[in-house]
Amino acid sequence: MERKKIIKFGIDWAAILALILCFVAFTAIKGSAFMSQSNMVNILRAMAITTVFGIAATITMAPDGFDMSAGTLGSCSAYAFVSSYLWFGQSLFMSIIITIVTTLVLYQLTMFLILVCKIPDMLATCALMFVHQGLGQWYIGGGAVSTGMRTPWNAEPVRIALSDSFSAIGRAPWIIIIMLGCVLAAYIFLDYTKFGRYLYAMGGNKEAAKLSGIDIKKYRYVAGMITAVFIAIGGILVSSRGSSAQVMCCDNYLMPALAAVFVGRTVGGAEKPNALGTMIGSMLVSTLENGLTICAVPFFVLPAVKGAVLALALIAAYAYKRE
């Protein structure tokens, strides 16, 4: 019995222990090069976008949903954000609003396939990955949306440069503040509101939740709309950080975000997607990547490390899952 308790404790707090071990190991190897204030800011900045996309996945997975199209939809959001600002000369605030509304509109198709057509989440969103890629690249004409480039219809953009306020969104400290704001908002929503409790009830046992009077479709739709808002924020951060919207610029954030969610659901024995756990999972992935880069590990090894983290998180999440 004691042995099982020790194993359970190790699994429940594995992410925290691994994070501490990473800091100790990389500090021992590289010293101040790793533990410097500037590098700590680098880690926080690097994890910010992954965390925001992870929060989007957390909201989706709370009611037992799953979204494989968050990265491609995030790219569409980035196209909408930069094009609104550069091509059409909208203000920064209005560009943000247009981006969020565009993402919400595009997410209606996701909800239609899942709630009306009753297609399983993973199959529906896998199909939509290609739809988003096609629509996005059609809109931008197959090229990037950036300064110095004409529009796909060969017109001069209204603006020829990005303002400092546009670029500031993707830099410290604003990118870190936005990340923390998203985590706090999701934490309060999931843990301290009726909507959040209903989503967790649906994730625990959908049939029981339905029999208890919860409108399954309504709250799944609410979760989808909130997910879309966080995806839009992720797209905004990516394009602001890169000062452009490159082709498929957000696609590569999907797997690290999912890894963060699966790592986070094991923290403290939560056994469910949660905002604070997702942030810890994202920090673990970013710290590993940052430390290995400083240690001059070849860049092509890093995806294998991320895959290993995800595999270990899945083992921790399901190997000792309560019956």
Side-chain angles (χ1 to χ4, degrees):
M1 184 62 70
E2 288 298 323
R3 181 171 174 271
K4 287 185 177 181
K5 287 182 178 180
I6 293 173
I7 293 174
K8 184 69 168 59
F9 176 85
I11 291 175
D12 288 348
W13 298 101
I16 301 291
L17 296 174
L19 185 60
I20 294 171
L21 181 61
C22 285
F23 273 90
V24 172
F26 290 134
T27 302
I29 295 170
K30 302 303 293 185
S32 59
F34 177 77
M35 278 301 292
S36 65
Q37 180 180 348
S38 61
N39 194 52
M40 293 301 103
V41 173
N42 285 339
I43 291 175
L44 290 173
R45 186 170 57 226
M47 67 178 277
I49 296 172
T50 301
T51 301
V52 173
F53 279 108
I55 291 296
T58 300
I59 300 295
T60 299
M61 294 167 67
D64 199 29
F66 202 81
D67 192 347
M68 292 292 292
S69 65
T72 53
L73 182 55
S75 295
C76 291
S77 301
Y79 305 151
F81 180 54
V82 184
S83 65
S84 296
Y85 191 78
L86 279 181
W87 293 354
F88 303 109
Q90 298 296 319
S91 67
L92 183 60
F93 176 76
M94 186 55 64
S95 297
I96 292 172
I97 297 300
I98 290 171
T99 302
I100 293 174
V101 171
T102 300
T103 310
L104 287 169
V105 170
L106 288 174
Y107 213 82
Q108 302 304 314
L109 180 56
T110 305
M111 293 290 92
F112 175 77
L113 294 179
I114 293 172
L115 298 180
V116 179
C117 299
K118 301 186 185 302
I119 300 173
D121 292 35
M122 183 174 289
L123 298 179
T125 54
C126 278
L128 288 173
M129 288 172 62
F130 300 103
V131 173
H132 296 153
Q133 287 177 345
L135 284 175
Q137 292 189 52
W138 167 78
Y139 174 68
I140 63 176
V145 186
S146 61
T147 55
M149 297 185 67
R150 298 174 71 86
T151 66
W153 51 92
N154 206 33
E156 288 290 338
V158 175
R159 283 195 176 93
I160 60 173
L162 299 173
S163 66
D164 291 339
S165 56
F166 182 100
S167 300
I169 296 174
R171 299 173 184 166
W174 283 110
I175 191 171
I176 300 171
I177 293 171
I178 292 170
M179 172 194 70
L180 294 175
C182 289
V183 172
L184 180 62
Y187 172 70
I188 293 173
F189 173 75
L190 288 174
D191 286 55
Y192 292 100
T193 69
K194 177 184 72 174
F195 290 96
R197 289 192 292 271
Y198 284 178
L199 294 183
Y200 278 141
M202 291 162 56
N205 190 320
K206 193 169 292 186
E207 286 303 317
K210 187 175 181 179
L211 291 172
S212 66
I214 297 175
D215 189 335
I216 300 295
K217 287 189 175 182
K218 172 186 173 181
Y219 288 102
R220 180 65 183 87
Y221 182 82
V222 169
M225 294 302 97
I226 296 173
T227 296
V229 172
F230 284 119
I231 290 173
I233 294 171
I236 290 169
L237 293 180
V238 170
S239 54
S240 176
R241 186 179 178 185
S243 297
S244 65
Q246 298 295 324
V247 176
M248 298 186 289
C249 55
C250 298
D251 293 24
N252 290 333
Y253 286 100
L254 175 63
M255 294 314 295
L258 293 178
V261 177
F262 281 111
V263 170
R265 67 177 293 159
T266 68
V267 174
E271 297 186 0
K272 61 185 179 182
N274 63 94
L276 296 181
T278 296
M279 185 174 70
I280 292 170
S282 180
M283 180 176 286
L284 175 59
V285 173
S286 296
T287 301
L288 274 170
E289 187 169 1
N290 177 276
L292 292 173
T293 301
I294 290 176
C295 292
V297 173
F299 71 92
F300 47 79
V301 176
L302 299 181
V305 174
K306 293 178 183 178
V309 170
L310 178 56
L312 291 173
L314 290 171
I315 291 171
Y318 293 103
Y320 286 85
K321 189 176 180 180
R322 294 171 184 169
E323 296 297 333

